[in-house]
Amino acid sequence: MRTTVRTARVSARTGLAMGAAVALAAGALTWGTGPAPASADPTTSPGPLAEGDVIYQVLVDRFEDGDPTNNDQGDGEYDPSDLGFYHGGDWAGLTDRLDYIADLGVTAIWLSPVSEQQPLSRDGLEASYHGYFTRDFATPNEHFGDRAELQELIDTAHDLGLKMILDVVPNHTADYLAGTSTTYSPSTYKPASPLDDASYFHHAGDCLFNGLETQTQIENCDLGGLDDLDQSNPVVSSHLMSTYKDWVDMGFDGIRVDAARSVPKPWLADFEAEMGVPTFGEVFVGDVDYVSEYQDYEWGVLDFPYFFTVREAFSADTDMNKLGDLFDQDSKYANPNRLETFLDNHDRARFLTWADDNYQRLRSGLTFLLTSRGVPVIYYGTEQADDGNGNPYEVPIANKDNRKDMESFDQNSNLYKHIQRLTAIKAAYPALQVGTQREMWSDTSVYGFSRRVDSTGAEAMTFSSNSWTTQTRTVPLRAESSITVGTTLTNLMNTGDTVTVTAGGVTGKQITVSLGEHESKVYAPGTPVSAYSPEARNTTKIRVHYNVGLGHSIAIRGDEYPFTWTSGRGARNVASDVWEFEVERIPDGETFQFKPLIDDVTWSTGGNFTGTGGDVIDIYPTF
């Protein structure tokens, strides 16, 4: 158990690529505290991407179909019954739903790539709905609309106070060159001019990612077979720079760089300087030492080390000390408050598929996400409990089941309201936007941290538990804290819950915090931004009474998701002869059928059991 009060850390890493360093000296890379870049219209744009923003990530094709006439372009790419093909979402549909996104309280939208695509993969088994099979960087994807519709989307979003983030794909085009070939076959199957010259590409073959590759190999190999562009070629570099600058000048306020680890780092810095808005790169690696270097070349970077660590701790109840091990390395980053953090994204299985569809785990994880350091990203559908079809597999990427159509826009859903509250308190408390994060407590089940704006003393504290039982800890305040003994702190996620700072502990002042099952709390002094009580949970609990013997377990199958008849959900052993499983997805009052199995192999005898959503269901099966 770690109870040491840590001191603040100051990043020792200030290196920038030469191109970015020159731009920084000229003031071109100073964002988040001054006016918007000259290319943006200050009367409509909320300004560039900044610390304190909350991003909503959208796959345009899967969100909303505003114009059915652009769905099928006749290339066999449109099949709404297949998750590997186009489904019809477009910019017009997204524009129609901007109020829904704005009401969630996010401040920016990360849009999937906008450029024209090769309709299908080389083998014809996947369409380019995601935007990563580029044919013509300068032309809009006709499935999504034309430039006028994209401009209307940007302008409408800006009017609602939403920033727009462009997803760029400078590493590759679609797969036109077979293997290591240096010629196009047939000669007409190639990218649009001026990139229709095979000499503009590397020809090193597919990326192996076998742990033996060098950085040079990573930057030269074909990612997923996609043709790898040579950014050192002046024609390639100039075309990418000028084309993406044209898109940015439509009013984009930030950029996400796809496959950033496959692009030379100095080029990334030059690209950001040329674009004139903050960029953050995708560096799909869980190693902080590796990922952190990229923030020396870009404003931010997608925090995959955070993702892998936090998802495991909150979805699978693993050792919470690993969170401390993660944050202990924050000094390796140029600025950890500019890291893009997330629990869900388009390349990983949905959080709920890992968490046994437990909404409480997701609520707790979201509270942690939106209050810990970094710029949080909410992946579309998380707020509507998207289940990812229950598919937890991610080899090589989860590229279908976690990209379902948006099925609900219910603003009264429990998770939507939970995120709404989190974005509201994030907007109201500067400590949750730009505060320095410092650990307060760490053990196997509980983790706590403070975020403080040291120049003002503004402070908020988050405590999280991944235990099924109530956990109580007496926690010293940080030595840096200016909060005094006798101060009342209010849980901003349930304002009826308060604690009082008492004398004692290693710093002379402490609080005692109690956390319920898979709960996260956010405490701050003063009057809360508004009163708040969490939404009531509609929990269905199945209790199977049976002693299965040492080394065996109970699983449950059924006809209502998260249960299926093909594989069981593992129940939790709470006594020698009692196994529990709880779920919130089943509507209150809805009946469903289920059966328990020993080791998910041996069925209970007799007929199915009948359960009702919202009930505690005790059964006494025989086997």
Side-chain angles (χ1 to χ4, degrees), residues 207-254:
C207 301
L208 299 179
F209 295 120
N210 59 6
L212 302 176
E213 67 276 357
T214 66
Q215 184 63 30
T216 298
Q217 289 171 329
I218 289 171
E219 293 174 5
N220 293 344
C221 62
D222 288 355
L223 183 64
L226 301 169
D227 297 349
D228 194 75
L229 285 160
D230 180 3
Q231 290 80 18
S232 70
N233 183 292
V235 175
V236 172
S237 182
S238 176
H239 182 67
L240 292 172
M241 294 277 190
S242 62
T243 299
Y244 277 126
K245 188 65 166 69
D246 287 342
W247 289 117
V248 169
D249 285 348
M250 293 182 71
F252 282 99
D253 309 295

Short mmCIF file of all heavy atoms in Angstrom, two decimals, residues 207-254:
data_model
loop_
_atom_site.label_atom_id
_atom_site.label_comp_id
_atom_site.label_asym_id
_atom_site.label_seq_id
_atom_site.Cartn_x
_atom_site.Cartn_y
_atom_site.Cartn_z
N CYS A 207 4.04 -4.28 -42.65
CA CYS A 207 4.56 -4.20 -41.28
C CYS A 207 4.30 -5.52 -40.57
O CYS A 207 3.19 -6.07 -40.64
CB CYS A 207 3.88 -3.06 -40.52
SG CYS A 207 4.09 -1.42 -41.25
N LEU A 208 5.31 -6.03 -39.88
CA LEU A 208 5.18 -7.31 -39.18
C LEU A 208 4.80 -7.13 -37.72
O LEU A 208 4.11 -7.98 -37.14
CB LEU A 208 6.49 -8.09 -39.29
CG LEU A 208 6.93 -8.44 -40.71
CD1 LEU A 208 8.25 -9.20 -40.67
CD2 LEU A 208 5.87 -9.26 -41.43
N PHE A 209 5.27 -6.06 -37.09
CA PHE A 209 5.01 -5.83 -35.66
C PHE A 209 5.29 -7.09 -34.85
O PHE A 209 4.44 -7.57 -34.09
CB PHE A 209 3.59 -5.32 -35.44
CG PHE A 209 3.33 -3.98 -36.06
CD1 PHE A 209 2.36 -3.82 -37.03
CD2 PHE A 209 4.07 -2.87 -35.68
CE1 PHE A 209 2.12 -2.58 -37.60
CE2 PHE A 209 3.84 -1.62 -36.25
CZ PHE A 209 2.87 -1.48 -37.22
N ASN A 210 6.48 -7.64 -35.04
CA ASN A 210 6.87 -8.87 -34.34
C ASN A 210 7.78 -8.61 -33.15
O ASN A 210 8.32 -9.54 -32.56
CB ASN A 210 7.55 -9.83 -35.31
CG ASN A 210 8.79 -9.24 -35.96
OD1 ASN A 210 9.21 -8.13 -35.62
ND2 ASN A 210 9.36 -9.95 -36.91
N GLY A 211 7.96 -7.33 -32.82
CA GLY A 211 8.82 -6.97 -31.71
C GLY A 211 10.27 -6.82 -32.08
O GLY A 211 11.09 -6.42 -31.24
N LEU A 212 10.62 -7.13 -33.31
CA LEU A 212 12.00 -7.04 -33.76
C LEU A 212 12.24 -5.87 -34.71
O LEU A 212 13.38 -5.61 -35.10
CB LEU A 212 12.40 -8.35 -34.46
CG LEU A 212 12.26 -9.64 -33.64
CD1 LEU A 212 12.59 -10.84 -34.49
CD2 LEU A 212 13.14 -9.58 -32.40
N GLU A 213 11.16 -5.17 -35.07
CA GLU A 213 11.28 -4.12 -36.07
C GLU A 213 11.99 -2.90 -35.49
O GLU A 213 11.89 -2.60 -34.31
CB GLU A 213 9.89 -3.71 -36.59
CG GLU A 213 8.99 -3.03 -35.56
CD GLU A 213 8.23 -3.98 -34.67
OE1 GLU A 213 8.36 -5.21 -34.87
OE2 GLU A 213 7.51 -3.51 -33.77
N THR A 214 12.72 -2.21 -36.35
CA THR A 214 13.36 -0.95 -35.98
C THR A 214 12.41 0.21 -36.27
O THR A 214 11.41 0.04 -36.98
CB THR A 214 14.65 -0.74 -36.77
OG1 THR A 214 14.33 -0.57 -38.16
CG2 THR A 214 15.60 -1.91 -36.60
N GLN A 215 12.74 1.39 -35.75
CA GLN A 215 11.91 2.55 -36.02
C GLN A 215 11.90 2.87 -37.53
O GLN A 215 10.86 3.23 -38.08
CB GLN A 215 12.41 3.77 -35.24
CG GLN A 215 11.54 5.00 -35.40
CD GLN A 215 10.14 4.81 -34.87
OE1 GLN A 215 9.91 4.06 -33.94
NE2 GLN A 215 9.17 5.50 -35.49
N THR A 216 13.02 2.70 -38.18
CA THR A 216 13.08 2.93 -39.62
C THR A 216 12.15 1.98 -40.37
O THR A 216 11.44 2.38 -41.30
CB THR A 216 14.53 2.76 -40.14
OG1 THR A 216 15.36 3.72 -39.51
CG2 THR A 216 14.59 2.95 -41.65
N GLN A 217 12.13 0.73 -39.96
CA GLN A 217 11.23 -0.23 -40.59
C GLN A 217 9.77 0.14 -40.36
O GLN A 217 8.94 0.03 -41.28
CB GLN A 217 11.51 -1.64 -40.06
CG GLN A 217 12.83 -2.22 -40.54
CD GLN A 217 13.20 -3.50 -39.83
OE1 GLN A 217 12.87 -3.71 -38.66
NE2 GLN A 217 13.89 -4.40 -40.55
N ILE A 218 9.45 0.61 -39.16
CA ILE A 218 8.08 1.01 -38.86
C ILE A 218 7.65 2.16 -39.76
O ILE A 218 6.52 2.21 -40.25
CB ILE A 218 7.96 1.41 -37.38
CG1 ILE A 218 8.07 0.19 -36.48
CG2 ILE A 218 6.63 2.14 -37.12
CD1 ILE A 218 8.17 0.50 -35.01
N GLU A 219 8.55 3.09 -40.00
CA GLU A 219 8.23 4.26 -40.81
C GLU A 219 8.20 3.96 -42.30
O GLU A 219 7.66 4.76 -43.08
CB GLU A 219 9.22 5.39 -40.51
CG GLU A 219 9.10 5.92 -39.09
CD GLU A 219 10.15 6.94 -38.72
OE1 GLU A 219 10.95 7.33 -39.62
OE2 GLU A 219 10.20 7.35 -37.55
N ASN A 220 8.73 2.81 -42.73
CA ASN A 220 8.80 2.48 -44.15
C ASN A 220 7.90 1.34 -44.58
O ASN A 220 7.70 1.13 -45.78
CB ASN A 220 10.24 2.14 -44.56
CG ASN A 220 11.16 3.35 -44.49
OD1 ASN A 220 10.71 4.48 -44.42
ND2 ASN A 220 12.46 3.09 -44.50
N CYS A 221 7.35 0.58 -43.63
CA CYS A 221 6.55 -0.58 -44.01
C CYS A 221 5.10 -0.19 -44.29
O CYS A 221 4.64 0.90 -43.95
CB CYS A 221 6.60 -1.64 -42.90
SG CYS A 221 5.93 -1.11 -41.31
N ASP A 222 4.38 -1.10 -44.94
CA ASP A 222 2.97 -0.88 -45.30
C ASP A 222 2.09 -1.32 -44.13
O ASP A 222 2.02 -2.51 -43.79
CB ASP A 222 2.60 -1.68 -46.54
CG ASP A 222 3.20 -1.11 -47.81
OD1 ASP A 222 3.84 -0.05 -47.73
OD2 ASP A 222 3.04 -1.73 -48.88
N LEU A 223 1.41 -0.37 -43.52
CA LEU A 223 0.53 -0.64 -42.39
C LEU A 223 -0.75 -1.30 -42.90
O LEU A 223 -1.52 -0.70 -43.64
CB LEU A 223 0.20 0.67 -41.66
CG LEU A 223 -0.65 0.58 -40.40
CD1 LEU A 223 0.06 -0.20 -39.31
CD2 LEU A 223 -1.00 1.99 -39.90
N GLY A 224 -0.96 -2.56 -42.52
CA GLY A 224 -2.13 -3.27 -42.99
C GLY A 224 -2.17 -3.41 -44.51
O GLY A 224 -3.26 -3.52 -45.09
N GLY A 225 -1.01 -3.39 -45.13
CA GLY A 225 -0.93 -3.51 -46.57
C GLY A 225 -1.14 -2.22 -47.33
O GLY A 225 -1.02 -2.18 -48.56
N LEU A 226 -1.42 -1.12 -46.64
CA LEU A 226 -1.69 0.16 -47.28
C LEU A 226 -0.39 0.80 -47.74
O LEU A 226 0.61 0.79 -47.02
CB LEU A 226 -2.45 1.07 -46.32
CG LEU A 226 -3.79 0.49 -45.84
CD1 LEU A 226 -4.36 1.31 -44.69
CD2 LEU A 226 -4.78 0.41 -46.99
N ASP A 227 -0.39 1.39 -48.92
CA ASP A 227 0.84 1.89 -49.54
C ASP A 227 1.44 3.04 -48.74
O ASP A 227 0.80 4.07 -48.52
CB ASP A 227 0.56 2.35 -50.97
CG ASP A 227 0.10 1.20 -51.87
OD1 ASP A 227 0.21 0.04 -51.44
OD2 ASP A 227 -0.36 1.48 -52.99
N ASP A 228 2.70 2.86 -48.33
CA ASP A 228 3.36 3.79 -47.42
C ASP A 228 4.02 4.94 -48.17
O ASP A 228 4.96 4.74 -48.95
CB ASP A 228 4.41 3.03 -46.60
CG ASP A 228 4.90 3.83 -45.40
OD1 ASP A 228 4.14 3.92 -44.42
OD2 ASP A 228 6.02 4.36 -45.48
N LEU A 229 3.54 6.15 -47.91
CA LEU A 229 4.08 7.35 -48.57
C LEU A 229 5.45 7.72 -48.02
O LEU A 229 5.72 7.55 -46.82
CB LEU A 229 3.12 8.52 -48.37
CG LEU A 229 1.84 8.50 -49.20
CD1 LEU A 229 0.76 9.40 -48.59
CD2 LEU A 229 2.15 8.94 -50.64
N ASP A 230 6.28 8.26 -48.91
CA ASP A 230 7.63 8.70 -48.54
C ASP A 230 7.58 10.22 -48.31
O ASP A 230 7.67 11.00 -49.25
CB ASP A 230 8.61 8.36 -49.66
CG ASP A 230 10.04 8.79 -49.36
OD1 ASP A 230 10.28 9.30 -48.25
OD2 ASP A 230 10.90 8.64 -50.24
N GLN A 231 7.47 10.62 -47.05
CA GLN A 231 7.35 12.05 -46.73
C GLN A 231 8.63 12.82 -47.01
O GLN A 231 8.60 14.06 -47.06
CB GLN A 231 6.94 12.24 -45.26
CG GLN A 231 5.52 11.84 -44.94
CD GLN A 231 5.37 10.34 -44.76
OE1 GLN A 231 6.37 9.62 -44.55
NE2 GLN A 231 4.14 9.85 -44.84
N SER A 232 9.75 12.12 -47.21
CA SER A 232 10.99 12.82 -47.55
C SER A 232 11.00 13.29 -49.00
O SER A 232 11.83 14.13 -49.39
CB SER A 232 12.21 11.93 -47.29
OG SER A 232 12.26 10.86 -48.23
N ASN A 233 10.10 12.76 -49.79
CA ASN A 233 9.98 13.21 -51.18
C ASN A 233 9.29 14.56 -51.21
O ASN A 233 8.18 14.70 -50.67
CB ASN A 233 9.19 12.18 -52.00
CG ASN A 233 9.10 12.54 -53.47
OD1 ASN A 233 8.44 13.50 -53.83
ND2 ASN A 233 9.75 11.74 -54.30
N PRO A 234 9.87 15.59 -51.82
CA PRO A 234 9.28 16.94 -51.77
C PRO A 234 7.90 17.03 -52.40
O PRO A 234 7.07 17.83 -51.97
CB PRO A 234 10.30 17.81 -52.51
CG PRO A 234 11.16 16.87 -53.28
CD PRO A 234 11.17 15.59 -52.52
N VAL A 235 7.63 16.22 -53.43
CA VAL A 235 6.30 16.24 -54.05
C VAL A 235 5.26 15.72 -53.06
O VAL A 235 4.18 16.30 -52.90
CB VAL A 235 6.28 15.42 -55.35
CG1 VAL A 235 4.86 15.34 -55.91
CG2 VAL A 235 7.23 16.01 -56.38
N VAL A 236 5.58 14.60 -52.40
CA VAL A 236 4.68 14.01 -51.42
C VAL A 236 4.43 14.98 -50.27
O VAL A 236 3.29 15.27 -49.90
CB VAL A 236 5.24 12.69 -50.88
CG1 VAL A 236 4.39 12.16 -49.71
CG2 VAL A 236 5.32 11.65 -51.99
N SER A 237 5.50 15.49 -49.70
CA SER A 237 5.38 16.38 -48.55
C SER A 237 4.58 17.63 -48.90
O SER A 237 3.67 18.04 -48.17
CB SER A 237 6.76 16.77 -48.04
OG SER A 237 6.66 17.60 -46.90
N SER A 238 4.91 18.24 -50.04
CA SER A 238 4.23 19.47 -50.44
C SER A 238 2.75 19.23 -50.67
O SER A 238 1.90 20.04 -50.26
CB SER A 238 4.87 20.03 -51.71
OG SER A 238 4.17 21.16 -52.17
N HIS A 239 2.41 18.10 -51.33
CA HIS A 239 1.00 17.82 -51.60
C HIS A 239 0.22 17.59 -50.31
O HIS A 239 -0.89 18.11 -50.14
CB HIS A 239 0.88 16.60 -52.52
CG HIS A 239 -0.54 16.29 -52.89
ND1 HIS A 239 -1.32 17.10 -53.68
CD2 HIS A 239 -1.34 15.24 -52.54
CE1 HIS A 239 -2.51 16.58 -53.84
NE2 HIS A 239 -2.55 15.44 -53.14
N LEU A 240 0.78 16.82 -49.40
CA LEU A 240 0.10 16.57 -48.12
C LEU A 240 -0.07 17.87 -47.34
O LEU A 240 -1.14 18.14 -46.78
CB LEU A 240 0.88 15.55 -47.30
CG LEU A 240 0.92 14.12 -47.83
CD1 LEU A 240 1.89 13.27 -47.01
CD2 LEU A 240 -0.48 13.49 -47.83
N MET A 241 0.97 18.66 -47.27
CA MET A 241 0.92 19.92 -46.53
C MET A 241 -0.14 20.86 -47.12
O MET A 241 -1.00 21.39 -46.40
CB MET A 241 2.28 20.61 -46.55
CG MET A 241 3.38 19.87 -45.82
SD MET A 241 3.39 20.18 -44.05
CE MET A 241 4.96 19.40 -43.59
N SER A 242 -0.07 21.08 -48.43
CA SER A 242 -0.98 22.07 -49.05
C SER A 242 -2.42 21.59 -49.04
O SER A 242 -3.34 22.37 -48.80
CB SER A 242 -0.53 22.38 -50.47
OG SER A 242 -0.57 21.22 -51.29
N THR A 243 -2.62 20.29 -49.29
CA THR A 243 -3.98 19.75 -49.33
C THR A 243 -4.64 19.81 -47.96
O THR A 243 -5.78 20.28 -47.81
CB THR A 243 -3.96 18.29 -49.83
OG1 THR A 243 -3.43 18.26 -51.15
CG2 THR A 243 -5.36 17.72 -49.83
N TYR A 244 -3.91 19.37 -46.93
CA TYR A 244 -4.51 19.40 -45.59
C TYR A 244 -4.66 20.83 -45.08
O TYR A 244 -5.59 21.12 -44.30
CB TYR A 244 -3.71 18.53 -44.62
CG TYR A 244 -4.09 17.06 -44.73
CD1 TYR A 244 -3.12 16.08 -44.95
CD2 TYR A 244 -5.41 16.67 -44.61
CE1 TYR A 244 -3.46 14.73 -45.04
CE2 TYR A 244 -5.76 15.32 -44.71
CZ TYR A 244 -4.80 14.37 -44.93
OH TYR A 244 -5.16 13.06 -45.03
N LYS A 245 -3.80 21.73 -45.49
CA LYS A 245 -3.97 23.14 -45.11
C LYS A 245 -5.27 23.69 -45.69
O LYS A 245 -5.98 24.47 -45.03
CB LYS A 245 -2.78 23.98 -45.59
CG LYS A 245 -2.80 25.42 -45.05
CD LYS A 245 -2.64 25.44 -43.53
CE LYS A 245 -2.32 26.82 -42.99
NZ LYS A 245 -3.43 27.76 -43.09
N ASP A 246 -5.62 23.28 -46.90
CA ASP A 246 -6.88 23.71 -47.49
C ASP A 246 -8.07 23.23 -46.66
O ASP A 246 -9.03 23.97 -46.45
CB ASP A 246 -7.00 23.18 -48.93
CG ASP A 246 -6.10 23.90 -49.90
OD1 ASP A 246 -5.62 25.01 -49.56
OD2 ASP A 246 -5.86 23.36 -50.99
N TRP A 247 -7.99 21.98 -46.21
CA TRP A 247 -9.08 21.47 -45.36
C TRP A 247 -9.12 22.25 -44.03
O TRP A 247 -10.19 22.65 -43.59
CB TRP A 247 -8.86 19.98 -45.06
CG TRP A 247 -9.07 19.05 -46.21
CD1 TRP A 247 -8.13 18.24 -46.79
CD2 TRP A 247 -10.29 18.79 -46.92
NE1 TRP A 247 -8.67 17.51 -47.80
CE2 TRP A 247 -10.00 17.81 -47.91
CE3 TRP A 247 -11.58 19.28 -46.83
CZ2 TRP A 247 -10.96 17.32 -48.79
CZ3 TRP A 247 -12.55 18.80 -47.70
CH2 TRP A 247 -12.25 17.84 -48.67
N VAL A 248 -7.98 22.44 -43.41
CA VAL A 248 -7.93 23.14 -42.13
C VAL A 248 -8.51 24.55 -42.26
O VAL A 248 -9.22 25.04 -41.37
CB VAL A 248 -6.49 23.19 -41.60
CG1 VAL A 248 -6.37 24.15 -40.41
CG2 VAL A 248 -6.03 21.80 -41.17
N ASP A 249 -8.23 25.19 -43.38
CA ASP A 249 -8.69 26.56 -43.58
C ASP A 249 -10.21 26.67 -43.70
O ASP A 249 -10.76 27.78 -43.67
CB ASP A 249 -8.02 27.18 -44.81
CG ASP A 249 -6.57 27.56 -44.56
OD1 ASP A 249 -6.16 27.57 -43.37
OD2 ASP A 249 -5.84 27.85 -45.53
N MET A 250 -10.90 25.56 -43.80
CA MET A 250 -12.36 25.59 -43.76
C MET A 250 -12.86 25.90 -42.36
O MET A 250 -14.04 26.22 -42.18
CB MET A 250 -12.94 24.26 -44.24
CG MET A 250 -12.69 23.95 -45.70
SD MET A 250 -13.46 22.39 -46.23
CE MET A 250 -15.21 22.83 -46.21
N GLY A 251 -11.96 25.78 -41.38
CA GLY A 251 -12.34 26.12 -40.02
C GLY A 251 -12.05 25.07 -38.98
O GLY A 251 -12.57 25.13 -37.87
N PHE A 252 -11.20 24.10 -39.31
CA PHE A 252 -10.86 23.07 -38.32
C PHE A 252 -9.95 23.67 -37.24
O PHE A 252 -9.09 24.50 -37.52
CB PHE A 252 -10.19 21.88 -38.99
CG PHE A 252 -11.16 20.98 -39.68
CD1 PHE A 252 -11.36 21.07 -41.06
CD2 PHE A 252 -11.91 20.05 -38.97
CE1 PHE A 252 -12.27 20.25 -41.71
CE2 PHE A 252 -12.83 19.23 -39.61
CZ PHE A 252 -13.01 19.33 -40.99
N ASP A 253 -10.17 23.23 -36.01
CA ASP A 253 -9.52 23.82 -34.84
C ASP A 253 -8.44 22.92 -34.23
O ASP A 253 -7.78 23.31 -33.27
CB ASP A 253 -10.57 24.12 -33.78
CG ASP A 253 -11.73 24.92 -34.35
OD1 ASP A 253 -11.51 26.06 -34.75
OD2 ASP A 253 -12.86 24.37 -34.41
N GLY A 254 -8.28 21.74 -34.78
CA GLY A 254 -7.27 20.80 -34.32
C GLY A 254 -7.20 19.64 -35.28
O GLY A 254 -8.06 19.48 -36.15
#
